[in-house]
Amino acid sequence: MTRSLVLAALLALGVAACSRQTPAPAPAAAAPAQAAPAQAPPSAAQPAESATQQATASQESGGGTDAPERSDTSLEQIAAPPPTAAQLPGWQPGVNYDPIVPGQPTSVSPGKVEVLEVFWLGCPHCYALEPYVRAWLKTKPAYVEFVRVPVMWQAIHRAHAHLFYTLQALGRPDLIEKAFDTIQHQQSPLGSADENESLQMQQAFAVRNGISADDYKNAYNSFTVASDLQRAEELTQRYHVESVPFLVVNGKYSTDVGKAGGPEKLIKLVDDLAAFEHRP
């Protein structure tokens, strides 16, 4: 079975998200015969777990000692649909999507509709959704602006967020895609619970792809990247993100693959919510 068929099978079975509470399947190897169980016991034939695999198996449970304290009094509440919530034909509020009350500010210009995806470079379900997102980006309406925010649960998630924003600051979105592939195919975890080790891994990746180690380190330690990481932390908490991939339309509606009923339906739902938000 090919990798694409394995990922499609995972989605079809409803295993559509990496969860903060529930351990998710580890990223598949470069050429797997079948998807591994969510918590497969180690055996002599299996290699030692990478930092990414360990995070997938245990860190997302929310039990790590480095998890930030959450104070619901400081977070916005995702509530039941108010009477004025959008009633879209074919979609049910509270089932296919959740209205966010109160609506949150976005980062786009007036007249634009923000579609925000919270994701993790180490999440196999985010990776499974990626082809659908890339195809949609080629056909989405001009009024839609797509924003990606890496989730900030534990140390490994923050390490991958740091990689994402550093490559973004260096103007290398092509390497973000390559990093996604590298992590998912277990060529390198590109992150660790130890920040120095993470930086060394990421510098080596940058050097292999034409960026000097010094240039990478300067961007890694820049004010811009630090600000981006802080905002990602705030958004992870503000939207109560408990699983990824997690999508928010215009700060007013949240949804995911499971709620929508599959990746194709998720894209259609996002389009419908965005069109509703863009109405005169």
Side-chain angles (χ1 to χ4, degrees):
M1 182 180 292
T2 66
R3 178 177 175 79
S4 60
L5 290 176
V6 170
L7 293 173
L10 282 172
L11 289 175
L13 289 170
V15 186
C18 289
S19 172
R20 183 183 180 111
Q21 286 89 8
T22 306
Q34 57 184 350
Q39 290 182 299
S43 69
Q46 292 176 321
E49 286 188 326
S50 67
T52 299
Q53 289 173 295
Q54 291 170 6
T56 306
S58 62
Q59 286 183 319
E60 290 186 296
S61 66
T65 57
D66 63 339
E69 292 293 326
R70 293 167 55 89
S71 173
D72 286 341
T73 59
S74 66
L75 304 178
E76 301 297 345
Q77 180 183 13
I78 298 180
T84 57
Q87 300 294 325
L88 300 176
W91 306 110
Q92 292 184 307
V95 176
N96 301 121
Y97 64 93
D98 294 311
I100 297 172
V101 182
Q104 298 299 296
T106 66
S107 61
V108 300
S109 304
K112 298 288 187 177
V113 175
E114 180 186 79
V115 173
L116 182 148
E117 181 197 11
V118 185
F119 78 112
W120 174 36
L121 288 171
C123 171
H125 311 294
C126 299
Y127 192 64
L129 182 63
E130 189 69 5
Y132 298 92
V133 171
R134 291 180 188 176
W136 171 72
L137 288 175
K138 297 175 182 177
T139 62
K140 70 173 181 61
Y143 59 78
V144 170
E145 289 196 17
F146 182 61
V147 178
R148 305 193 87 165
V149 174
V151 75
M152 297 283 281
W153 288 328
Q154 307 291 340
I156 186 62
H157 306 102
R158 296 184 192 110
H160 286 158
H162 216 144
L163 170 64
F164 173 81
Y165 283 126
T166 301
L167 293 175
Q168 193 174 77
L170 288 165
R172 294 298 302 272
D174 58 310
L175 291 188
I176 294 173
E177 294 183 10
K178 190 168 184 178
F180 215 162
D181 291 337
T182 297
I183 294 166
Q184 291 297 318
H185 290 284
Q186 297 183 352
Q187 295 167 9
S188 170
L190 295 181
S192 165
D194 181 270
E195 186 170 2
N196 288 330
E197 185 179 5
S198 289
L199 176 57
Q200 291 172 8
M201 288 181 186
Q202 294 172 18
Q203 282 179 305
F205 172 79
V207 169
R208 290 195 300 271
N209 289 280
I211 299 172
S212 74
D214 286 343
D215 285 347
Y216 186 87
K217 185 175 182 180
N218 289 337
Y220 184 93
N221 291 322
S222 69
F223 175 78
T224 296
V225 169
S227 298
D228 288 338
L229 289 168
Q230 182 178 356
R231 179 173 179 271
E233 185 82 55
E234 291 169 355
L235 289 173
T236 295
Q237 298 238 0
R238 182 187 301 171
Y239 286 122
H240 298 259
V241 180
E242 297 295 336
S243 65
V244 291
F246 178 85
L247 282 89
V248 178
V249 178
N250 224 31
K252 296 181 181 179
Y253 310 99
S254 68
T255 188
D256 56 38
V257 176
K259 284 182 177 293
E264 296 94 342
K265 290 183 178 180
L266 176 64
I267 298 301
K268 179 64 166 65
L269 173 56
V270 165
D271 275 337
D272 288 350
L273 287 169
F276 179 86
E277 282 298 297
H278 191 250
R279 71 197 187 286

